[in-house]
């Protein structure tokens, strides 16, 4: 029986150790562990979604109107650069006439060739001192087809009248009508020429310094005879005063004449000429090209004169016109 008792004791001892040894203590509230409160985590804030922007309305494109085709202007005739009075000139310009190969202008019963200049055509027509005052139709024509037309109003030249009494010895030259007629025919032949180009450019210059003693168009009666217009502008100065070309061109004539004395004529093209008369001597030859301002001679008193001066003329298509008009501004197409 002793072995069994030993086992029981060992077993009892093992139980006591497992229970904390000694006497078992009464449970106490303070001995019980205080339960730890479980912390509730703060909720993660949820971002409030921004309201979706209201989409802008899609603009409705405004329909672009189809542009009307720009009308192409038709041919027109212009005379604004003219000096429309007796002793003046008509500068006819034809605009908006592309594609043509020739043109003429019809005026006062005559037909005048027009020359091309860039995108236009032009013609210069002289108006004599006796040209009738009034309105005249003008028309541009190409290959027989009318292109443009208008009306030209020609005014009075406002010329003065003068009566001269000269001794017979001063008018002896006027007695040789054959010599006078020969001189006129020679000059008329030169002025009938037509160079199909414009050699001048811009305003002309005065050909000599001095005093204008007689203006263009002055109506003169000598010893009670009929009145005749003075055909140029007289510039008086000393013999030997240099004379220059008023505009660029080609010398068409340089020789002694009867009433005009030593004469130089310059062809400026398009039917326009200038003449320099009563020269003491000439400094150019026929056929020579000259530029505006070039020396062409020296002032004198050859021919039918009463003292040293330059008698300066501007001739357009054989018609003598006032040369000073060309110095007032450019006469360009």
């Amino acid at each position: 029986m002793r072995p069994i008792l030993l086992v029981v004791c060992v077993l009892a001892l093992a139980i006591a150790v497992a229970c904390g040894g000694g006497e078992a203590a009464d449970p106490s509230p303070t001995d019980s562990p205080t339960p730890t409160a479980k912390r509730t985590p703060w909720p993660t804030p949820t971002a409030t979604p921004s309201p979706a922007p209201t989409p802008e309305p899609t603009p409705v494109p405004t329909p672009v109107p189809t542009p009307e085709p720009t009308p192409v202007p038709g041919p027109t005739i212009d005379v604004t650069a003219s000096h429309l009075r007796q002793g003046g000139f008509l500068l006819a310009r034809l605009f908006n006439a592309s594609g043509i190969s020739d043109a003429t202008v019809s005026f006062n019963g005559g037909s005048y060739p027009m020359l091309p200049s860039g995108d236009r055509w032009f013609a210069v027509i002289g108006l004599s001192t006796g040209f009738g005052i009034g309105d005249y139709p003008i028309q541009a024509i190409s290959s027989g087809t009318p292109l443009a037309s208008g009306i030209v109003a020609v005014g009075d030249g406002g010329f003065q009248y003068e009566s001269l009494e000269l001794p017979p010895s001063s008018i002896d030259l006027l007695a040789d009508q054959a010599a006078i007629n020969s001189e006129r025919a020679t000059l008329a032949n030169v002025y009938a020429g037509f160079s199909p180009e414009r050699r001048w450019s811009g305003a002309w210059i005065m050909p000599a310094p001095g005093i204008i003693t007689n203006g263009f168009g002055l109506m003169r009666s000598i010893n009670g005879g009929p009145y005749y217009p003075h055909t140029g502008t007289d510039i008086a100065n000393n013999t030997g005063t240099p004379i220059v070309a008023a505009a660029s061109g080609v010398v068409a004539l340089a020789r002694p004449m009867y009433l005009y004395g030593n004469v130089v004529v310059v062809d400026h093209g398009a039917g326009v000429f200038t003449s320099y008369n009563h020269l003491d001597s000439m400094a150019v030859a026929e056929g020579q090209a000259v530029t505006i301002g070039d020396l062409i001679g020296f002032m004198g008193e050859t021919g039918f004169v009463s003292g040293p001066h330059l008698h300066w003329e501007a001739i357009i298509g054989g018609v003598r016109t006032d040369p000073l008009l060309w110095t007032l501004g450019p006469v360009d197409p």
Side-chain angles (χ1 to χ4, degrees), residues 157-183:
F159 306 123
Q160 302 298 312
Y161 286 78
E162 179 183 66
S163 295
L164 299 177
E165 294 294 331
L166 300 177
S169 59
S170 299
I171 59 174
D172 285 346
L173 287 174
L174 300 180
D176 191 343
Q177 195 61 47
I180 294 174
N181 291 341
S182 176
E183 179 179 71

Side-chain angles (χ1 to χ4, degrees), residues 85-88 127-130 157-164 211-222 226-236 259-260 275 277-278 304-307 309-315 319-324:
R85 64 171 178 81
Q86 293 170 322
L127 305 174
S128 69
T129 54
F159 306 123
Q160 302 298 312
Y161 286 78
E162 179 183 66
S163 295
L164 299 177
I211 300 172
I212 295 178
T213 54
N214 291 296
F216 172 85
L218 176 65
M219 305 299 289
R220 283 175 168 171
S221 169
I222 298 177
Y227 284 95
Y228 291 101
H230 187 231
T231 57
T233 297
D234 287 349
I235 304 172
L259 295 178
Y260 282 104
S275 71
N277 307 280
H278 309 306
F304 183 56
V305 295
S306 59
H309 72 281
L310 170 69
H311 177 78
W312 178 38
E313 295 185 349
I315 305 94
V319 177
R320 286 168 172 83
T321 62
D322 188 349
L324 290 180

Side-chain angles (χ1 to χ4, degrees), residues 80-89 91 157 200-207 212 216 233 246-247 292 312 314 321-332:
T80 56
S82 307
H83 289 274
L84 298 174
R85 64 171 178 81
Q86 293 170 322
F89 58 84
L91 175 61
W200 81 88
S201 178
W204 293 5
I205 63 174
M206 294 294 290
I212 295 178
F216 172 85
T233 297
I292 183 172
W312 178 38
T321 62
D322 188 349
L324 290 180
L325 296 177
W326 292 78
T327 69
L328 301 179
V331 183
D332 294 339

Side-chain angles (χ1 to χ4, degrees), residues 64-142:
V64 178
T66 303
E68 293 291 330
T70 303
V72 178
T76 57
I77 194 164
D78 174 87
V79 297
T80 56
S82 307
H83 289 274
L84 298 174
R85 64 171 178 81
Q86 293 170 322
F89 58 84
L90 166 63
L91 175 61
R93 299 185 292 185
L94 178 63
F95 297 146
N96 307 319
S98 59
I100 65 173
S101 59
D102 68 275
T104 58
V105 59
S106 176
F107 174 72
N108 192 34
S111 180
Y112 302 88
M114 304 189 82
L115 297 178
S117 179
D119 61 349
R120 61 194 62 179
W121 295 71
F122 78 98
V124 188
I125 302 169
L127 305 174
S128 69
T129 54
F131 200 93
I133 300 170
D135 295 342
Y136 295 83
I138 184 173
Q139 186 175 61
I141 301 168
S142 177

Side-chain angles (χ1 to χ4, degrees), residues 46-51:
T46 302
T48 303
S50 300

